[in-house]
Amino acid sequence: MNKHFLMSKMKSTGTAYLCWFFLGCHYAYLGNWGLQILYWITFGGIGIWALIDLFHLPSKVSNHNLLISNQISAIEKNEKEEAHSRNMAMMAAATGSNRSGD
């Protein structure tokens, strides 16, 4: 995956709170459609689940963003390793061509 695409998938706690307050669609915003449907069917656990989410929403957003950050880090690590191996190959080729010219 492209790291710019993944960065666009990062979520905001403020937007999640707006979704929670106005439509109760904060799980859909985080991509958890199964929980979202269950949340709607139970009317937010008759309010109990909704109240719990009021305090746990920042950690839910942080966990979502952490997964994406880990994927971005893995992509950046692979890019650095590929760049390093290309540089080493170019240096080996340049050193080999200099010695063959002597």
Side-chain angles (χ1 to χ4, degrees), residues 10 16 25 40 49 55 63 96:
M10 299 288 267
C25 64
W40 281 335
W49 191 2
F55 298 103
N63 289 338

Side-chain angles (χ1 to χ4, degrees), residues 1 3 6 65-76:
M1 274 196 185
K3 65 182 175 182
L6 288 172
N65 289 340
L66 181 64
L67 294 173
I68 294 173
S69 295
N70 289 339
Q71 291 175 346
I72 291 171
S73 318
I75 290 172
E76 288 176 346

Side-chain angles (χ1 to χ4, degrees), residues 85-99:
S85 62
R86 274 194 310 270
N87 290 340
M88 294 303 288
M90 287 189 337
M91 288 183 64
T95 305
S97 66
N98 285 343
R99 290 189 180 171

Side-chain angles (χ1 to χ4, degrees), residues 14-30:
T15 305
Y17 271 119
L18 288 174
C19 289
W20 174 85
F21 184 74
F22 288 111
L23 300 172
C25 64
H26 51 289
Y27 285 107
Y29 175 66
L30 296 175

